Amino acid sequence: MESKSDVENSFWNLSIDDAYHKVTSSSKGLDDSEVARRLKQYGPNTLKNNANTSMFILFLSQFKSPITILLIVAAILSAGLGDISDTVIILCIIILSSLLGFWQEKGAANAVKELLKMVRLQCRVTRNGTSKEIAVEDVVPGDIVTLSAGDIIPGDCLILDSKELFVDEAAFTGETFPVEKDSGDPLPANTVLSKRSNTLFMGSSVISGKATALVMATGKQTEFGKISTTLQSKAPETDFELGIRKFGYLLMEVTLILVIIIFGVNVFLHKPILDSFLFSLALAVGLTPQLLPAIISVNLSTGAKRMAKLQVIVKRLSSIENIGSMNILCSDKTGTITAGKVNLKDTLDIDGNHNDKVLEYAWLNASMQQGFKNPIDEAIVLAYKETAKTFTVQSEIPYDFIRKRLTIVVKGDKENLAITKGALNSVLTICSQAEVADGKLSNIADSKVSIQAQYEKLSEAGFRTLGVAYKPVKDAGDFSRDDEKDMIFLGFITLFDPPKPNVEAIIAKLNTLGVKLKIITGDNALVAKSLALQVGIKDPKILTGAELQKMTKAALMHRAVNTDIFAEVEPNQKERIISILKSGGNVVGFMGDGINDAPALHAADVGISVDTAVDVAKEAADIVLLSQDLDVLTNGIIEGRKTFTNTMKYIFMATSANFGNMFSMAGASLFLPFLPLLPKQILLTNLLTDFPEMAIATDRVDDLNIQAPQRWDISFIRKFMVVFGLLSSVFDFLMFGVLLFIFHAKEKEFQTAWFIESVISATLIVLVVRTRLPFFKSLPGKYLSIATAIIVLFVLVLPFTPFSGWFDFVKLPFMLYVWMFLLIAVYIISAELVKHQFYKVMMKKHRKYR
């Protein structure tokens, strides 16, 4: 049942004149001054929150960690007990760390916002009496929009005029099949949403046909806006996001265990409860990579900006990591494998001879259709020099993916003709006769075998082959789908789209990157096989849509991985292919630009479209290419892997040096009569060791990390954390021995020395763990080197500054620095040796279980 507000705001019960009156508009549309006023009144035509709210929430999100909140509460409690200075310092460090994260993430968000402007959806509106293209966000109530196949509906609209209009409203009604719409009589105000046949809803899309419509509501005032919280289901979790979540669980487990044990033991040893609690929480913060969200955002936005320079625009940042992890790429052949420039080869009669009548009728059909423009029609129009009698279009039944044909009814001086062209089998189903070479007509049943044989011969030669049929009609203006019958089969249209000159090399490059290309096409298997052989795919494994339809999930999973080409595929089968490949543990990319590609783009780990794609495909895609070229995509894959690698560098640093330092502090607190580091010193350590990592996004990446898809491996990270964390702890305890037995260090001297050693060793170890190669063979990027040097100098100078007293630091003897740097040097060399052995063992295990 419709709500009271729905009835009050109804417009499907209005006549066209009343609708114009309601939104104060006319058939000429709005003028510019009125548009400006309405944009202020109604706001941008979007369901997203405004930028200010987003930035405020982004800032608050920096404090969302339960450990950080606990630490703030504990610090305030400490202030209540009189320790004001420590409380202020701890809170300042937390705020500074949060501001640093906020600044980085804000910069990343702004960068992405600018990139998205490059692929904004457009729609055609009538303003000031003229038609123009505008951004969908700028549509206001009262605008008159012109819609055709592939367009996304930009607002809730009343249809003014339509022709064979079918719309996808699955998001509202759950109806799988397209819904027919028209500009019929006004409907009752209480008509349920699924029955509003004269209404278009924002968020739905045009499948076929065309329409002119009056926008009645935009943004959050639309039906989509009202129920957006339930309709806008969260995008499926990417492989990268899943990895981050599992990594978070790992850290939570380790942190929780560590905090409980350390707090319990310190209380058992009769150390002050509040100090022990603050120390335990500070340890937890030290172990937790607080800036991980900011580091990831910076890495992703930097990667997005680099990819934009390579003509790859990223709409969803996490998809950058996925494109680097991708090991299967599914793509249509047109424009990616082939040049995307369809050429007319010939027009033939049913015996395979050239026929000018076929060309003339194909030209009439292609040149007079008003629906979705496509390369086939353009090729036919270009190939024909108009010499035919004058015809005028009377009626049209647009192409759709169910009928797979297009019919135009034209009126001539002496006769009216219905002319159909489309997929051969689709055209044959509506034919009862065939025109033979001498112009005589025969029963279609007598010619079907020879027609099919001719079709297979042309397909084997690599030509895409369509059928053409016609019939004389009496009433040219009232022709419907039901009248598509008893037609005369006339002949064939043969087309070719040559492979791109460099495509064989690009496919080879994809293979070297560990990405398997699979072609999904509606063309028949013979055409697809011919193309595969031309681009260097030897002995291609082909699976047809008809075979796919009969296969169980298990059988398809087995076949799909080894299939090179999926041919004769129905639009609804693309999504099934993608889902099956994903269920086998693959990271799957899908490249599509058509009206029917949106479900597959949504289903893929990486949905890829092109800037020239229809709106519904661009909206569904995660990544939009400014050039329909696989070479552009290979550059994007490489950038994705660079971004993934730089993110993992931070993970490895955080799980080795941080874990090692925190483990050492936990152990030291058990036998020392004082805390090895004060809570404020631990937090400062964490802040300073994170600072250089802000430059990790600009770091160099070894070729080794680009050669194959990269995936999250929590088991690998856990082993890395244990091995390198324990190695770090060994040298920490050696440092403790030097401090206690050689220099007999007191509390403040011990804390100062170990703070300096912790920060410098954790900062320098990044140079080792950032690469699998020996660190001297893979030098860090300029900004990472500068940031590392700044932190090392800052830490060495800090005890000699007036600020040292804030953190209870003291000056150290020169020989202590000598011992410290000797241990750090041995630690770096040891880490390099352990790294070599660690990767050797891990690679051997990987090969064993592959």
Side-chain angles (χ1 to χ4, degrees):
M1 182 177 287
E2 302 301 303
S3 67
K4 182 180 177 183
S5 63
D6 279 338
V7 174
E8 288 173 354
N9 297 322
S10 64
F11 56 86
W12 43 92
N13 61 330
L14 301 176
S15 67
I16 290 174
D17 288 339
D18 289 341
Y20 275 132
H21 179 72
K22 182 171 183 176
V23 291
T24 321
S25 186
S26 71
S27 58
K28 292 184 177 180
L30 304 172
D31 60 38
D32 293 339
S33 60
E34 182 61 20
V35 168
R37 189 189 70 75
R38 294 191 187 194
L39 271 174
K40 285 183 181 178
Q41 178 183 351
Y42 297 105
N45 182 28
T46 177
L47 300 180
K48 297 174 184 174
N49 293 324
N50 64 63
N52 293 332
T53 304
S54 299
M55 288 300 109
F56 180 66
I57 292 172
L58 181 62
F59 178 70
L60 289 182
S61 71
Q62 306 302 314
F63 301 92
K64 67 184 177 184
S65 165
I67 295 172
T68 302
I69 294 168
L70 268 176
L71 194 58
I72 292 171
V73 171
I76 294 170
L77 180 62
S78 178
L81 298 175
D83 195 355
I84 303 293
S85 61
D86 273 16
T87 301
V88 170
I89 290 169
I90 289 171
L91 291 177
C92 283
I93 291 173
I94 292 171
I95 291 170
L96 180 61
S97 177
S98 299
L99 280 171
L100 191 60
F102 168 73
W103 176 70
Q104 292 285 339
E105 289 198 64
K106 181 176 179 291
N110 288 339
V112 173
K113 192 175 175 184
E114 289 301 311
L115 291 176
L116 288 179
K117 287 181 181 177
M118 300 175 70
V119 289
R120 283 165 62 173
L121 295 183
Q122 303 282 313
C123 69
R124 182 162 289 280
V125 300
T126 300
R127 287 183 178 172
N128 299 312
T130 59
S131 181
K132 62 189 291 189
E133 289 269 344
I134 65 166
V136 167
E137 289 92 336
D138 296 333
V139 171
V140 295
D143 268 327
I144 297 171
V145 295
T146 303
L147 302 165
S148 59
D151 288 343
I152 286 179
I153 312 298
D156 284 0
C157 307
L158 184 72
I159 300 172
L160 303 176
D161 181 49
S162 67
K163 181 65 178 174
E164 299 288 350
L165 181 65
F166 284 80
V167 174
D168 180 359
E169 287 186 350
F172 299 93
T173 64
E175 176 59 53
T176 305
F177 296 102
V179 180
E180 188 169 12
K181 299 278 187 172
D182 58 52
S183 55
D185 296 330
L187 302 169
N190 61 353
T191 303
V192 295
L193 187 145
S194 60
K195 301 295 183 183
R196 296 174 196 167
S197 57
N198 63 350
T199 306
L200 302 174
F201 301 107
M202 181 182 186
S204 54
S205 59
V206 180
I207 298 299
S208 65
K210 54 187 178 178
T212 304
L214 178 64
V215 178
M216 305 298 293
T218 57
K220 295 184 180 178
Q221 300 307 310
T222 62
E223 292 291 340
F224 196 57
K226 291 172 191 173
I227 55 175
S228 60
T229 50
T230 54
L231 285 183
Q232 294 189 95
S233 57
K234 190 181 177 196
E237 189 174 45
T238 67
D239 188 65
F240 176 73
E241 289 166 332
L242 177 64
I244 287 286
R245 183 160 58 83
K246 288 182 177 178
F247 176 63
Y249 291 154
L250 171 66
L251 286 178
M252 282 171 59
E253 291 169 10
V254 175
T255 302
L256 190 62
I257 293 169
L258 196 63
V259 167
I260 292 171
I261 292 174
I262 297 308
F263 178 66
V265 171
N266 275 279
V267 170
F268 178 76
L269 295 175
H270 305 293
K271 294 181 181 178
I273 291 178
L274 183 59
D275 284 352
S276 298
F277 185 57
L278 269 172
F279 175 72
S280 300
L281 286 177
L283 268 181
V285 172
L287 179 60
T288 306
Q290 281 178 298
L291 294 184
L292 180 59
I295 295 290
I296 289 173
S297 294
V298 172
N299 276 342
L300 294 179
S301 65
T302 303
K305 285 188 280 188
R306 283 200 302 254
M307 289 169 79
K309 292 177 182 176
L310 300 170
Q311 298 186 297
V312 181
I313 306 300
V314 178
K315 289 177 59 188
R316 184 183 177 194
L317 279 183
S318 57
S319 62
I320 293 180
E321 308 285 5
N322 267 10
I323 200 172
S325 304
M326 181 173 70
N327 66 312
I328 290 178
L329 171 64
C330 297
S331 173
D332 188 8
K333 64 182 183 59
T334 306
T336 51
I337 310 301
T338 64
K341 181 68 176 173
V342 178
N343 298 282
L344 182 68
K345 172 64 176 174
D346 207 346
T347 51
L348 311 169
D349 62 20
I350 64 171
D351 296 320
N353 301 312
H354 174 77
N355 189 293
D356 287 331
K357 185 177 179 180
V358 177
L359 178 57
E360 179 188 336
Y361 280 29
W363 175 82
L364 285 169
N365 177 285
S367 62
M368 294 190 178
Q369 69 103 359
Q370 299 296 308
F372 180 65
K373 298 296 181 186
N374 64 76
I376 290 174
D377 289 328
E378 291 172 2
I380 294 169
V381 171
L382 282 172
Y384 183 75
K385 292 182 172 57
E386 185 178 353
T387 58
K389 326 179 260 298
T390 303
F391 284 91
T392 55
V393 64
Q394 299 296 298
S395 183
E396 175 182 353
I397 305 176
Y399 179 90
D400 63 63
F401 293 101
I402 298 169
R403 290 165 44 254
K404 294 186 179 178
R405 57 182 180 260
L406 163 69
T407 299
I408 295 285
V409 181
V410 293
K411 182 177 182 180
D413 296 334
K414 296 180 180 178
E415 60 181 343
N416 302 329
L417 294 173
I419 303 170
T420 300
K421 79 171 189 311
L424 181 76
N425 290 332
S426 175
V427 172
L428 285 176
T429 59
I430 59 171
C431 292
S432 58
Q433 295 177 295
E435 185 173 307
V436 293
D438 56 4
K440 292 181 181 179
L441 303 181
S442 68
N443 191 298
I444 191 69
D446 299 332
S447 302
K448 270 193 174 179
V449 173
S450 62
I451 290 172
Q452 195 64 40
Q454 189 64 40
Y455 174 67
E456 290 179 7
K457 180 182 175 184
L458 294 168
S459 297
E460 281 180 353
F463 298 118
R464 182 172 185 182
T465 306
L466 304 180
V468 179
Y470 74 100
K471 76 173 180 179
V473 294
K474 290 180 181 178
D475 189 355
D478 189 24
F479 192 93
S480 69
R481 292 178 186 225
D482 294 335
D483 297 314
E484 283 186 318
K485 60 184 179 181
D486 296 327
M487 300 193 77
I488 303 163
F489 184 79
L490 182 60
F492 307 96
I493 307 168
T494 57
L495 305 127
F496 68 99
D497 182 5
K500 289 184 176 178
N502 61 341
V503 71
E504 190 170 348
I506 294 171
I507 293 174
K509 185 177 180 182
L510 281 171
N511 286 331
T512 60
L513 290 171
V515 179
K516 177 70 175 174
L517 178 69
K518 296 184 183 296
I519 300 171
I520 301 179
T521 178
D523 282 352
N524 69 60
L526 296 171
V527 173
K529 182 177 181 180
S530 173
L531 175 71
L533 294 171
Q534 289 179 65
V535 298
I537 302 176
K538 297 176 181 177
D539 189 25
K541 308 289 189 300
I542 300 175
L543 187 64
T544 66
E547 292 172 319
L548 191 150
Q549 191 72 36
K550 301 171 186 174
M551 297 176 77
T552 64
K553 182 178 179 180
L556 181 57
M557 189 180 294
H558 176 73
R559 285 281 302 276
V561 178
N562 299 313
T563 298
D564 298 300
I565 298 173
F566 296 89
E568 301 170 30
V569 169
E570 298 290 333
N572 60 357
Q573 292 178 321
K574 294 180 182 180
E575 185 179 6
R576 186 185 178 203
I577 294 167
I578 301 299
S579 300
I580 284 289
L581 290 169
K582 282 176 64 178
S583 64
N586 300 290
V587 177
V588 183
F590 176 73
M591 190 168 176
D593 61 357
I595 298 164
N596 58 332
D597 288 332
L601 286 165
H602 274 301
D605 292 298
V606 192
I608 305 159
S609 193
V610 291
D611 195 34
T612 54
V614 296
D615 286 351
V616 71
K618 277 200 290 186
E619 181 68 10
D622 302 307
I623 288 173
V624 177
L625 308 181
L626 299 184
S627 170
Q628 193 169 359
D629 194 330
L630 279 179
D631 202 25
V632 169
L633 188 58
T634 57
N635 292 333
I637 291 170
I638 291 169
E639 282 302 326
R641 291 180 185 176
K642 286 181 179 178
T643 305
F644 185 93
T645 299
N646 282 336
T647 303
M648 293 310 297
K649 288 175 186 177
Y650 178 78
I651 300 290
F652 290 149
M653 185 282 294
T655 54
S656 55
N658 282 22
F659 175 75
N661 284 344
M662 298 312 114
F663 184 76
S664 301
M665 274 191 268
S669 68
L670 303 182
F671 64 81
L672 289 175
F674 50 82
L675 293 176
L677 280 182
L678 299 175
K680 58 188 175 184
Q681 293 169 343
I682 295 174
L683 293 176
L684 183 61
T685 300
N686 194 42
L687 178 66
L688 293 177
T689 52
D690 269 343
F691 179 79
E693 301 307 311
M694 287 297 183
I696 203 79
T698 62
D699 193 24
R700 295 189 185 96
V701 175
D702 301 330
D703 290 341
L704 190 68
N705 299 108
I706 296 171
Q707 290 169 0
Q710 302 197 38
R711 304 283 296 272
W712 274 89
D713 187 341
I714 295 300
S715 173
F716 181 89
I717 293 172
R718 188 186 297 113
K719 290 169 184 172
F720 194 97
M721 178 173 74
V722 171
V723 170
F724 287 88
L726 290 177
L727 178 68
S728 172
S729 287
V730 167
F731 282 89
D732 286 337
F733 282 106
L734 287 174
M735 185 68 194
F736 296 161
V738 169
L739 289 170
L740 294 174
F741 300 117
I742 297 179
F743 290 92
H744 308 290
K746 303 299 182 202
E747 180 177 355
K748 288 190 176 182
E749 191 176 39
F750 183 98
Q751 290 167 345
T752 304
W754 197 48
F755 166 80
I756 294 171
E757 190 271 343
S758 292
V759 175
I760 293 177
S761 62
T763 304
L764 293 181
I765 198 64
V766 178
L767 307 181
V768 175
V769 300
R770 59 171 287 281
T771 175
R772 292 188 184 187
L773 301 173
F775 71 88
F776 51 85
K777 287 187 178 180
S778 176
L779 298 177
K782 178 174 71 173
Y783 295 109
L784 179 59
S785 300
I786 292 171
T788 300
I790 289 172
I791 292 301
V792 170
L793 288 173
F794 176 80
V795 170
L796 290 172
V797 170
L798 184 58
F800 301 95
T801 67
F803 307 114
S804 62
W806 294 5
F807 296 95
D808 291 337
F809 291 143
V810 295
K811 295 176 183 177
L812 302 174
F814 175 75
M815 283 306 298
L816 183 48
Y817 284 105
V818 173
W819 273 95
M820 189 188 303
F821 277 100
L822 179 64
L823 280 175
I824 291 173
V826 176
Y827 169 50
I828 298 297
I829 294 168
S830 300
E832 186 60 54
L833 295 172
V834 169
K835 178 183 74 175
H836 175 74
Q837 192 62 30
F838 176 80
Y839 279 113
K840 186 178 178 181
V841 171
M842 293 304 294
M843 290 304 104
K844 187 181 292 185
K845 286 183 179 179
H846 176 70
R847 283 192 295 271
K848 181 179 178 181
Y849 293 108
R850 265 179 91 171

